Amino acid sequence: MASRTSVSERRQLPSLAARQALFAELQPVKLTNCEFARYGEGHDGGYLACRNLLTQVRGAYSYGISGYDGWGCEVSTQLKVPVHQYDCFDTRQPSCPGGEPIFHPECVGPAPNTDGEGRVFDSIQNQIEKNGDADKHIIMKMDVEGAEWDSMLKTPGAVLEKIDQLIMELHGVDKNIERSREVVLKLKEFFHVAHLHINNYSCQWGLQPFGGWAYEVTLVSKRLATADPTAKVQLPNPLDTPNNPRIPDCQAPPALLR
């Protein structure tokens, strides 16, 4: 007689399948013309990008900085471009000697809005246009605690087409996971997934195949990158470090990676 599946197991099966589907879409592809470099802090706040594919970039956007922005400052200093920094929850403006930081006490969202506490939100498209960057190639970093999903879902393809590299910390693998997959599929129309790294501040058992509920993804424009889907990707990358070096890491098991 076939064994019966418990009620709790039946409830978890759709969620597991959804997590597996999202995880599969986030698997990096080997880029044959990408030279990875790390920008930003040595641990939390540092991200990988293809250094040699940044030559056309004329502006940088850093969303969610919490009073510090080593990533934005390093990108601005090295590329000699302005970095637009956005945060409406923490309006401390970080210093950046040698760079060109432009701080906006504003957050990103799907549409213009002011919340009940007076915090201002606007869309990616509007913010880029207000800064006069609509026709410029840009690099963007976003860590906005879940606001990334609706913000990206509402961003037109013409705006995404101008982003040379997009580095995001994505949040959540259970809530609205179908929306998450919809967003990732939309982004993959314009970008190759070049890198995936689990934030070990978010390590949690029971989210398999994810090791945690927050994960950093580097996306590179298909205009620039050459992909070899048959080649293996090394994860973790040698440039990766734990976001928190004082606690165990929780990258996905190697067997689950391409």
Side-chain angles (χ1 to χ4, degrees):
M1 183 175 66
S3 61
R4 294 184 178 180
T5 304
S6 69
V7 174
S8 62
E9 288 174 330
R10 288 200 302 270
R11 287 175 178 169
Q12 290 178 17
L13 286 175
S15 181
L16 173 59
R19 291 198 303 268
Q20 289 173 328
L22 177 60
F23 190 75
E25 295 297 344
L26 289 167
Q27 292 312 293
V29 64
K30 177 70 174 179
L31 302 184
T32 59
N33 63 335
C34 170
E35 298 172 6
F36 276 119
R38 185 180 181 90
Y39 296 88
E41 282 72 19
H43 293 282
D44 197 40
Y47 305 90
L48 271 57
C50 300
R51 174 175 49 198
N52 59 312
L53 300 180
L54 294 173
T55 57
Q56 298 181 49
V57 166
R58 296 296 176 263
Y61 282 71
S62 186
Y63 289 100
I65 63 172
S66 300
Y68 70 97
D69 188 22
W71 179 88
C73 186
E74 190 168 356
V75 167
S76 177
T77 303
Q78 289 193 16
L79 301 184
K80 307 300 182 185
V81 299
V83 55
H84 293 275
Q85 302 165 322
Y86 285 84
D87 203 315
C88 66
F89 289 89
D90 187 336
T91 56
R92 292 175 296 166
Q93 301 182 35
S95 64
C96 180
E100 189 180 344
I102 304 171
F103 180 76
H104 305 264
E106 183 174 296
C107 286
V108 68
N113 180 48
T114 301
D115 70 11
E117 298 185 23
R119 288 187 285 258
V120 176
F121 296 75
D122 207 347
S123 67
I124 294 171
Q125 180 179 21
N126 287 347
Q127 289 164 339
I128 289 175
E129 289 177 353
K130 285 188 292 186
N131 295 329
D133 290 342
D135 294 324
K136 297 179 182 177
H137 290 276
I138 63 175
I139 181 172
M140 182 179 292
K141 183 272 294 179
M142 183 176 290
D143 180 2
V144 289
E145 307 303 323
E148 66 274 4
W149 299 115
D150 286 340
S151 298
M152 283 296 169
L153 193 60
K154 297 298 184 181
T155 301
V159 175
L160 298 175
E161 182 65 32
K162 285 294 185 180
I163 302 174
D164 284 8
Q165 297 189 51
L166 174 61
I167 298 104
M168 305 179 71
E169 179 163 287
L170 300 173
H171 301 81
V173 294
D174 270 337
K175 298 178 180 178
N176 277 324
I177 196 166
E178 290 303 326
R179 177 199 58 178
S180 300
R181 186 167 178 268
E182 180 184 359
V183 172
V184 171
L185 288 172
K186 175 183 178 179
L187 292 174
K188 288 178 69 173
E189 294 179 21
F190 302 91
F191 302 95
H192 291 297
V193 178
H195 184 58
L196 172 68
H197 180 257
I198 307 296
N199 183 333
N200 71 324
Y201 276 103
S202 76
C203 294
Q204 183 177 328
W205 178 254
L207 300 179
Q208 290 85 351
F210 290 88
W213 50 261
Y215 36 102
E216 300 159 349
V217 180
T218 298
L219 301 118
V220 182
S221 174
K222 290 183 176 180
R223 291 182 287 98
L224 303 173
T226 303
D228 180 1
T230 66
K232 291 185 177 181
V233 175
Q234 181 181 2
L235 291 179
N237 187 284
L239 297 175
D240 280 326
T241 63
N243 294 69
N244 185 343
R246 296 179 295 278
I247 62 175
D249 209 354
C250 55
Q251 302 308 309
L256 295 173
L257 301 175
R258 186 189 299 270

